[in-house]
Every structure is written in C-alpha cells, then in structure tokens.
Amino acid sequence: MAKMNFGGVEENVVTRSEFPLEKAREVLKNETIAVLGYGVQGPGQSLNLKDNGFNVIVGQRKGSKSWDKAVEDGWVPGETLFEIEEACEKATIIEFLLSDAGQISAWPVVKKHLTAGKALYFSHGFGITYNDKTGIIPPADVDVIMVAPKGSGTSLRRLFLQGKGINSSYAIYQDATGKAYDRVIALGVGVGSGYLFETTFKREVYSDLTGERGTLMGAIQGIFAAQYQVLRENGHTPSEAFNETVEELSQSLMPLIAENGMDWMYANCSTTAQRGALDWWKKFRDATLPVFNDLYNSVKTGNEAQISIDSNSKPDYREKLNAELKELHESEMWRTGETVRALRPERSK
C-alpha cells in the first residue's frame, strides 16, 4: 500500500506494480470464488477472474434469464455454474453480487454456508451499512470485504479485454482470519481494477448513492432535460437542441475532460466559451448545492435505502419501473438521440 497525494490530501492506494497479478494468484491459489448473481457486476467480474486464472464458479437461479446468459458466456452447469446454495457450499469466498433486494432475499441461504474462515465479498456497501433494514449481519468468524469498481460491469469487462483497468475502491469491514487485506486486494486485481483506493462500506454507499442520484445519472438527466426544453421552447430544432445539449458533451468534450481534466478544457476552448463558462459555473454550483445537500442527507439518514427497499419489494415493481423507463425512452430528446447516434459516420477502415 502506498500513500498518494490527491489534491493535497494523502490517501492509501494499491497499484498493479505493487501488487501484481502473479501475487494475487498466489494469495488465492487455494480459494474457490463463487460469484452470486449474473446481472450488473457478475458477468464482468466472474469472466475477468476466470480469464486471469482464478478458480471461479457462478451461482444463479436455474431457469432464469441470467442463468441462460451465464451458459451463453461459457459457464457449464454442474461444473462451473450452480444453483446459489450449492455455489455457496463449494466456495471459500462468496462474492455477493445480487441486487440489493436480491441480497435481502438470498441472505438466509448465504448465511447458512458462511462457515469459519470463509470470506464474504461485496461490491456495494448497501447491505452491510443499512443492516438494520436489510438484516445482513455476517457471523464474526468470516472476513467481510469489498471491491467496488467505479463503473458498470460492462465497462469493467470491456476495458479488461482492451488490456486496461477500471479504478475500484476497497474496504475491510471484518478481518476474522488475518488475511482479509491480501484477499481483498488480490480479488481487486483479479477482477481487473486499474488501481485500488481505500474506503469504508459506509463511505462507499454514501458516495455511490449520491453519485447515482447526482452527477452520474439523476442530475445529468435533469440538466439535459432542462437545457433541451429551453432550446426547444425558443425555436431550436430537436437535432440542434440534442447536439448542443448531449452530443457535443458526450462525444467531444467528455473524452477530453477524462484525458486532461476540466481545468485543461477551460484553458483550451475559445475565449468566448471561457468567459461564459467562468461566469456561469458558480451560478450552477450555488443553484444545485442545496439539492445535493438534501440528497446526501437523505442517503445518510437511510431514507434513500428505505425507499429503494420498499419499492423493490412490491409485486408490481418491475411493471412500474418499465413504465418509467418507457417514458424516458420515448421522450423527444432521447428519440432524437437514437437518430443522431445512427447518423454518426463510421471511421474509415
């Protein structure tokens, strides 16, 4: 573990050069890793681990679409693909990658197989942090660890196949064996992390829920929708409104910001854009700061967790969710986006 300076603040960081793949394989050479769930994170993490040479099996409900997807991806029923309980029984490390609602439902089965010395692994701090609501309280004689990739499972897999890695946070909630640190870092390397930075289960879930509802999805969609509406109401065409709101940001500016930073972007745009951006960014900050404070407080108090649990446990949850997603998909802005994306020229070969 090394100390690295981030904006003047030192943090604990583990890089691949410090903890190479060969070391990770040695740490986990006698472990059987069961990845429970084959939805968001399960495919990317399990396939990366397998391709990196670890002993991996998948636990999933037989007959589900996810089971069929696992078979399509090369997992073999009875050899590397099992029902959840059988996978738990075989494993020394259980990667609990079901949805938050799925974890609550499956917990009695998983807990039954958490015998002394095993490790319980998460990629999200929800179940442990809000255990008064989820009931997920691990026994005292198992390691409880977390690796949380800072991106989707799809991105984790895509970058792995490109020879790259996505940054992940890691945390140790309970070290019963004295091996929790080596286990969690080895798993972080194994799933394809670029580098790993230290956190806690509570900090991870607070930042994650805030980010999802904020700049990663909720706030950005709200800002997109507001600017698009203003442009349309002032006579701009759907194509122009979408290109100025979404396309230029996602296709041109965001890759440059990811590569060089927003400060570089401000220094390397036109003087007109510089002046306007410098004049307006603090106004947007001040306008949204109260909303972000309300959001963080709602996460911290457990209100967002309770809303999620209550919503996901209703029998008509999927039907209502699909209706909300349909409304988003069928909005003029995102229907325009479909057309714009279809018109992007292919790079000449």
Side-chain angles (χ1 to χ4, degrees), residues 119-328:
L120 180 63
Y121 166 111
F122 295 84
S123 284
H124 189 25
F126 190 99
I128 292 292
T129 301
Y130 301 115
N131 58 19
D132 59 325
K133 306 177 189 300
T134 66
I136 298 175
I137 302 174
D141 54 4
V142 301
D143 293 341
V144 182
I145 55 182
M146 176 177 65
V147 172
K150 297 299 105 181
S152 69
T154 301
S155 298
L156 183 73
R157 182 62 176 165
R158 183 186 301 122
L159 287 170
F160 177 86
L161 293 174
Q162 294 172 359
K164 303 175 183 177
I166 199 168
N167 301 329
S168 302
S169 60
Y170 75 92
I172 299 170
Y173 180 77
Q174 191 167 278
D175 183 2
T177 67
K179 301 185 297 181
Y181 175 81
D182 281 348
R183 276 173 148 177
V184 73
I185 300 303
L187 288 162
V189 171
V191 301
S193 302
Y195 72 83
L196 293 137
F197 61 94
E198 188 177 31
T199 188
T200 66
F201 275 64
K202 183 177 288 187
R203 291 210 319 262
E204 190 282 332
V205 74
Y206 284 6
S207 60
D208 189 71
L209 293 186
T210 299
E212 290 168 348
R213 287 150 179 76
T215 58
L216 301 180
M217 292 179 70
I220 197 70
Q221 165 61 17
I223 292 170
F224 282 163
Q227 179 169 305
Y228 183 89
Q229 180 177 331
V230 167
L231 291 174
R232 290 288 287 121
E233 288 175 350
N234 282 276
H236 298 270
T237 65
S239 176
E240 185 171 48
F242 186 86
N243 273 282
E244 292 294 345
T245 301
V246 179
E247 189 74 353
E248 186 174 355
L249 174 66
S250 62
Q251 295 302 296
S252 175
L253 302 188
M254 276 302 182
L256 290 172
I257 294 168
E259 184 178 345
N260 302 300
M262 182 63 86
D263 53 337
W264 180 93
M265 181 60 68
Y266 271 53
N268 287 275
C269 61
S270 72
T271 54
T272 301
Q274 282 176 342
R275 183 68 270 141
L278 288 166
D279 287 345
W280 279 91
W281 81 262
K282 290 181 182 178
K283 294 181 182 180
F284 280 105
R285 178 200 61 190
D286 295 344
T288 58
L289 190 58
V291 181
F292 277 99
N293 279 321
D294 288 346
L295 167 56
Y296 193 84
N297 186 58
S298 187
V299 170
K300 187 176 180 180
T301 59
N303 184 55
E304 290 301 309
Q306 192 63 58
I307 290 171
S308 178
I309 291 169
D310 290 346
S311 173
N312 294 346
S313 62
K314 291 179 180 176
D316 61 348
Y317 162 71
R318 183 59 60 180
E319 181 182 334
K320 288 183 175 178
L321 173 66
N322 287 337
E324 291 182 277
L325 293 175
K326 183 179 180 182
E327 178 187 1
L328 194 66

